[in-house]
Amino acid sequence: MDMIVLIEEIADYIIPEDNEIRKGLGEIMGGKILKLRSEELLELGEARGEARGEARGRLTGLHEAKIDAIQNMIDLGLTREQILRKYSPEEYEEAINSMSVKA
């Protein structure tokens, strides 16, 4: 799009308004807009970034859900050993530590 504007500005400067070439140039430029390689790369980068962000968000949500589940198990009176059958010691410790922070 920037290239089209630049070409039109150059044409305005070089070609008189009543010239037939200028009319034809306007018809050509007003037609199909080509996508520049830089625009394609930008779109590709944005799509990759969105996909990575979504994946990270899912992992963060899953981790938070595990911590919440462990905290609920503790609140219900399950023992450490019972909780560690399903969750890792690191997750258990994180749940304990975040409970201390909330209190």
Side-chain angles (χ1 to χ4, degrees):
M1 204 60 191
D2 293 336
M3 292 294 292
I4 293 171
V5 172
L6 178 62
I7 291 169
E8 288 175 347
E9 288 178 6
I10 292 170
D12 289 344
Y13 183 75
I14 296 175
I15 304 170
E17 285 185 34
D18 59 345
N19 193 314
E20 289 295 318
I21 293 173
R22 184 168 174 165
K23 291 177 186 173
L25 182 65
E27 290 172 8
I28 291 170
M29 296 303 291
K32 183 179 179 183
I33 297 175
L34 301 176
K35 189 178 287 191
L36 300 174
R37 179 70 177 143
S38 60
E39 292 172 326
E40 290 175 359
L41 292 172
L42 180 62
E43 288 175 2
L44 178 62
E46 288 173 346
R48 285 183 180 173
E50 287 175 8
R52 286 181 183 162
E54 288 176 8
R56 285 185 184 144
R58 279 193 294 274
L59 288 175
T60 300
L62 210 96
H63 181 73
E64 290 174 0
K66 286 181 178 182
I67 301 304
D68 286 344
I70 293 169
Q71 291 172 345
N72 289 335
M73 294 171 127
I74 292 169
D75 289 342
L76 292 172
L78 274 74
T79 65
R80 182 179 196 275
E81 291 74 26
Q82 289 171 318
I83 296 171
L84 291 179
R85 288 184 195 148
K86 182 169 175 87
Y87 298 100
S88 72
E90 293 82 15
E91 292 167 335
Y92 180 83
E93 291 302 319
E94 185 177 342
I96 293 289
N97 291 337
S98 65
M99 287 176 80
S100 301
V101 172
K102 290 179 185 177

